[in-house]
Amino acid sequence: MTSEFFRIDDFLEQERQELVNQELWRSLREVQSAQSSRIIIDGKPYLNFSSNDYLGLANHPKVMQAAIEAIQKYGFGAGASRLICGSFKPHHELELEICDFKQTEAALSFSSGCATAVGTICSLLNKDDAIVLDRLSHACLIDAARMSGAKLCVFKHNDLSNLESILKRLRKSADSKRKILIVTESVFSMDGDIAPLKDIVELKEKYGAWLMVDEAHATGLFGVNRAGLIEELDLRERVEIQMGTLGKAIGSAGGFICGKKSLVEYLINRARSFVYSTAPPPCVAAAAKAGIEIIRSEEGKQRTATLWNLVNEFKQSLSEMDIDLSNVNSAIIPIILGSNERTLKASQFLSENGFFIPAIRFPTVPKNTARLRITISANHTPEDIRLLSLALKAALN
Ligand SMILES: *Cc1c(COP(=O)(O)O)cnc(C)c1O
């Protein structure tokens, strides 16, 4: 009887085969050491060039100590959502620290960057509104846009004239009460290039839109106080919704929104991923606060300077190999090879030689743009960079 229906085992096997055939099958690797520029996977040591722990704070003694002290004081689990009885002192202290760091009125932390994007976008927009996204926006921003039910428009990556024509069309075809939200990253996660934020701000003002900027890969790296690209470009007063993650340069886990107090109070009431989710463990918030404190200190300044020196050295050696990096302006260096097969082979070769650099493929990046995504950390040494350049030269031959 039941044999004529689609069995889940058959479905899963069919899907697996399809991914394997396209060289898109992925699996987990167990890391047996701390997050660092050196890691151990399956008993073998690697130089790690794949982490977003740009400043080497994920296993910094002060970050770990802050978490340990918070565990001793508050235990581990938060026990309930923030609005019930899960809003602990470390959560509030973290949010004050974020405000101070980003120079905004208020901030709200979430359990992840993904939950931040979904909760925020879905609470602000509905089917009568429109959302205009850069084509290379992170998957969680795209999913959030879809889930909101708003009309979804995508502009060509960093293309201001395409963005303007979409805004013009949206304004012509609807009443002025329609909300239009523009969403972009400040540093793009898979390409390492930066958005023309100042021009985007001008366009959103011209067309009466709102702007949400995801600073996941810029927080801790850009600006005099290392608060992000918005700080560097002095746009704080002109961006309605600033987003970031606590799990990258900050070295902990979670995501946040910062901006006006009225925005944060609204999200506390309406962002479903905030309201209906158990609060992150207080120790995670304490670790994030410690990470931000390091970033803002003299040590943070030095770590960022070290990082940029390493990035520049690496870019220099790649330009000698005729790899075009003219758009790359961050600690993310993509080596775009195109085919999945070629990228997997290069990644495999590097792995055999002790370098951990995974092949990034569709759907993380568009089809035929498979790449090695190399990320540099302040914990790397100039010698690490030299060895990497040599290995890449051999891998790409
Ligand atoms: C990593 C990332 C996120 C998601 O943040 P998590 O805290 O990892 O969930 C969101 N946006 C961008 C651009 C990212 O790179």
Side-chain angles (χ1 to χ4, degrees):
M1 255 300 267
T2 56
S3 62
E4 60 196 83
F5 297 116
F6 203 172
R7 292 171 56 244
I8 189 166
D9 291 346
D10 293 340
F11 166 74
L12 296 174
E13 178 54 23
Q14 182 181 308
E15 291 290 308
R16 191 187 71 87
Q17 266 308 329
E18 198 170 311
L19 288 173
V20 168
N21 291 344
Q22 296 171 56
E23 307 208 59
L24 290 175
W25 183 252
R26 306 194 258 190
S27 54
L28 297 173
R29 280 169 275 222
E30 182 180 294
V31 178
Q32 297 147 339
S33 62
Q35 178 60 256
S36 174
S37 59
R38 279 150 183 80
I39 51 174
I40 295 174
I41 299 176
D42 294 330
K44 191 182 157 188
Y46 290 91
L47 262 179
N48 181 18
F49 286 99
S50 65
S51 172
N52 302 311
D53 176 28
Y54 300 114
L55 299 176
L57 301 187
N59 71 348
H60 190 288
K62 283 186 180 156
V63 172
M64 292 193 284
Q65 189 57 34
I68 290 165
E69 282 170 18
I71 289 178
Q72 283 163 346
K73 192 152 182 196
Y74 302 100
F76 191 80
S81 69
R82 293 280 299 278
L83 280 167
I84 304 295
C85 65
S87 197
F88 288 86
K89 196 170 177 208
H91 297 120
H92 293 265
E93 287 176 343
L94 166 63
E95 285 157 357
L96 283 176
E97 183 71 29
I98 295 172
C99 292
D100 223 36
F101 181 40
K102 296 274 184 175
Q103 292 287 301
T104 55
E105 261 176 41
L108 187 66
S109 60
F110 291 71
S111 51
S112 74
C114 287
T116 308
V118 172
T120 302
I121 291 172
C122 293
S123 72
L124 290 169
L125 302 181
N126 64 41
K127 63 175 177 36
D128 300 323
D129 304 319
I131 182 162
V132 190
L133 281 160
D134 186 287
R135 201 173 115 91
L136 295 188
S137 296
H138 191 271
C140 70
L141 299 168
I142 296 168
D143 289 351
R146 287 189 183 137
M147 282 167 70
S148 74
K151 181 179 170 60
L152 174 56
C153 305
V154 172
F155 64 98
K156 287 188 204 139
H157 178 50
N158 282 347
D159 185 330
L160 293 163
S161 68
N162 189 215
L163 172 59
E164 177 154 28
S165 69
I166 290 170
L167 293 172
K168 207 177 267 176
R169 203 172 62 231
L170 285 170
R171 272 300 173 225
K172 214 186 276 170
S173 66
D175 68 85
S176 56
K177 283 279 175 254
R178 170 189 252 180
K179 296 173 237 140
I180 300 176
L181 177 67
I182 302 171
V183 178
T184 185
E185 294 173 25
S186 55
V187 169
F188 284 85
S189 61
M190 295 297 139
D191 291 71
D193 57 347
I194 64 179
L197 276 190
K198 195 152 192 300
D199 297 311
I200 293 177
V201 163
E202 264 148 34
L203 280 179
K204 73 103 188 167
E205 284 168 358
K206 181 170 170 193
Y207 291 91
W210 307 347
L211 178 60
M212 174 167 174
V213 177
D214 182 350
E215 295 242 63
H217 299 275
T219 301
L221 281 76
F222 290 84
V224 191
N225 299 303
R226 299 163 294 286
L229 196 64
I230 290 173
E231 184 207 352
E232 181 161 313
L233 301 176
D234 198 17
L235 295 171
R236 183 168 42 80
E237 301 285 348
R238 297 167 78 188
V239 177
E240 287 85 357
I241 306 159
Q242 295 191 45
M243 173 181 157
T245 57
L246 301 165
K248 287 165 180 157
I250 292 170
S252 181
F256 64 87
I257 291 290
C258 55
K260 289 251 175 73
K261 188 157 176 260
S262 52
L263 170 69
V264 164
E265 287 175 345
Y266 176 82
L267 294 176
I268 290 172
N269 284 273
R270 285 291 175 84
R272 295 170 66 86
S273 63
F274 178 86
V275 175
Y276 297 106
S277 190
T278 300
C283 63
V284 173
K289 175 171 176 266
I292 298 173
E293 282 169 348
I294 297 169
I295 289 172
R296 300 178 73 191
S297 71
E298 187 55 34
E299 179 184 348
K301 188 175 176 182
Q302 280 167 18
R303 281 182 178 262
T304 310
T306 302
L307 173 67
W308 289 128
N309 283 338
L310 294 169
V311 166
N312 289 335
E313 272 173 45
F314 184 52
K315 282 172 76 176
Q316 180 61 35
S317 69
L318 289 179
S319 74
E320 285 157 17
M321 290 159 64
D322 280 338
I323 294 172
D324 177 29
L325 293 171
S326 45
N327 286 331
V328 172
N329 244 313
S330 67
I332 302 162
I333 321 273
I335 315 274
I336 299 177
L337 299 177
S339 84
N340 294 334
E341 194 194 351
R342 182 156 180 239
T343 311
L344 279 171
K345 251 191 197 146
S347 170
Q348 181 68 30
F349 175 90
L350 289 163
S351 161
E352 282 157 13
N353 286 280
F355 297 85
F356 191 68
I357 304 171
I360 306 286
R361 289 161 282 167
F362 179 81
T364 309
V365 293
K367 283 186 177 148
N368 303 315
T369 69
R371 66 198 65 185
L372 299 171
R373 174 184 183 267
I374 295 167
T375 46
I376 311 288
S377 151
N379 273 358
H380 286 121
T381 65
E383 178 66 4
D384 294 343
I385 301 295
R386 205 182 59 81
L387 292 172
L388 172 65
S389 304
L390 287 174
L392 263 178
K393 208 175 255 180
L396 300 181
N397 256 334

